[in-house]
Amino acid sequence: MQGLQGNFPFAVPLPRKGTRRLSPAMIEAREELLAPPPAYPGKGDLLRMLKSLRSGSGLSRPALSLLLAMIEKTRPESWEALETPFIYAHNETLMRWTDCSLTTLHRAVRELADARMLVPQDGRNGQRGRRWQGADESQRVGFNLASLRYRWSDLLDRSDMIRRQREEVSFLRGEIADLNDRLRREAEARDNTQVSASAVRIMRKRMRTECLATLRGYFSEMSALFHQVLDTPPASASATSKPPCGAVDNPRSVPSGTPIVAPMPPQSGTHYTDTKDIQLSKKVDLVAACGRDRIEAMRRVSADPTQPTPGALDRSALRGFKATTMFYLQICAPLRDLCASPRPSMDDLITAAEVLSARMGVTHHAWAQGCQVLGRFEAAVTTIVMTARRENGAEIRRPDAYFRSLIERAATRELFLDRSLYALRDVAASAGEAGGARC
């Protein structure tokens, strides 16, 4: 080495292996510890704050994981006033805590030190990772986490900024969804499927980003599509403005060779098989006919001449099913805690069902759509049925999507709430939960 330095007089001596290179931010953080801290946050407060700022903390994932692991390993008493939160661990221990490699660990420590989240305290002569302690126990080797007390106000400001940003993102997404509902109604009235497809693409893309500028652009695109639809005349007006065409589409007649077969009546039963079609033997269970006959008989028994016409009943999801409030409290146990009285009125039952839908995970937008399609009472009954099925062991992973699917079935007249209510009444009776309520 001396010969090389003689040949190169301007050569800089190499730093000793293991010595930490201090950056200006690290030196500033070390000098900052000499001043009194502005706040003394607790261990739990720091953990909750950093976990809520996972995407907005400004740290990489390995650095944030390492900082959270260090805070979790400290004692809660060390975060009180006149105490110093300090931690010492070997590289192997830190690698086991964070499940990362040695190179990634070094980068994470360097990132935290440059961000002034911790202060590395090395041993004598600046050696890293050497256990050395003075005679008066005044020097410790490890990482001083007291710098987080000086970053607490910055973390609070960043948390408020992220909260406001999330509220604005949620507001923009809601505005785009409301505008999409109006656009779809206008597009259906004008038979414009191309604009509806473009609106669907914007609705999908709005959930894939949290950038405010991008969401504002999507809102502008949706507004432009909405004004484009408004400029288009309705389909009825365009049809009347066209001159009559000479060719007329005649209805297709049934071919002579195709026999007209009557539908299968309920008495014949529905065949359910548990074997493949390619096998010769099939096991047949006649289960649908009995259940359907029983439901139809109950409908005839509970028929009331004062009820609306059958056409109106077919359009309703309840199909003329009548029940008291005590019946709904019997089949849905969680609804009892939300009612103000043991015998609530129908309005109180609807209000309690709306609160129950929010607890189940149904969004306010989905509830509003349900009230628009079904009405407030039938939307409440739909929520009660969904909750009761979940209490009886049915697996409903996404309640909001499940509730929206029921609304779509009701819009096409394929939702039969009376059948579900009959089944839930039988389940409650077999379980011994009947409390005197009757249909």
Side-chain angles (χ1 to χ4, degrees), residues 211-383:
C211 181
L212 294 177
T214 306
L215 288 174
R216 292 191 186 99
Y218 291 158
F219 180 76
S220 301
E221 293 180 14
M222 189 70 76
S223 302
L225 290 176
F226 180 69
H227 292 296
Q228 179 182 351
V229 170
L230 292 180
D231 295 338
T232 306
S236 58
S238 61
T240 55
S241 62
K242 290 182 179 180
C245 184
V248 179
D249 293 333
N250 297 322
R252 293 186 301 174
S253 59
V254 181
S256 58
T258 304
I260 301 177
V261 182
M264 181 182 294
Q267 292 77 13
S268 63
T270 305
H271 301 282
Y272 292 93
T273 62
D274 56 356
T275 56
K276 297 180 180 179
D277 294 338
I278 60 176
Q279 298 179 358
L280 298 178
S281 61
K282 295 183 179 180
K283 181 180 178 181
V284 179
D285 296 330
L286 302 176
V287 296
C290 301
R292 190 177 300 172
D293 291 341
R294 177 176 59 83
I295 293 175
E296 296 295 338
M298 289 181 180
R299 289 180 182 175
R300 288 192 294 271
V301 170
S302 60
D304 189 1
T306 61
Q307 293 180 356
T309 59
L313 296 181
D314 293 338
R315 290 191 294 270
S316 173
L318 289 173
R319 298 301 195 277
F321 184 87
K322 291 287 186 178
T324 61
T325 56
M326 299 304 298
F327 171 79
Y328 295 110
L329 294 181
Q330 174 191 358
I331 65 174
C332 184
L335 194 64
R336 304 169 188 170
D337 301 333
L338 301 177
C339 294
S341 62
R343 290 183 175 275
S345 62
M346 198 60 69
D347 294 336
D348 297 338
L349 186 74
I350 295 174
T351 305
E354 184 176 0
V355 177
L356 182 63
S357 66
R359 291 189 178 182
M360 280 282 294
V362 178
T363 60
H364 179 71
H365 185 264
W367 171 261
Q369 285 186 340
C371 294
Q372 185 177 2
V373 175
L374 294 168
R376 294 191 75 243
F377 175 68
E378 292 190 2
V381 175
T382 305
T383 303

Side-chain angles (χ1 to χ4, degrees), residues 1 86 115 183 248 259 266 339 422:
M1 182 63 68
F86 196 89
L183 185 145
V248 179
C339 294
Y422 280 126

Side-chain angles (χ1 to χ4, degrees), residues 54 167 180 204 300 304 322 327 366 395:
R54 286 187 181 273
E167 291 178 355
N180 175 65
R204 291 176 180 174
R300 288 192 294 271
D304 189 1
K322 291 287 186 178
F327 171 79
E395 186 177 0

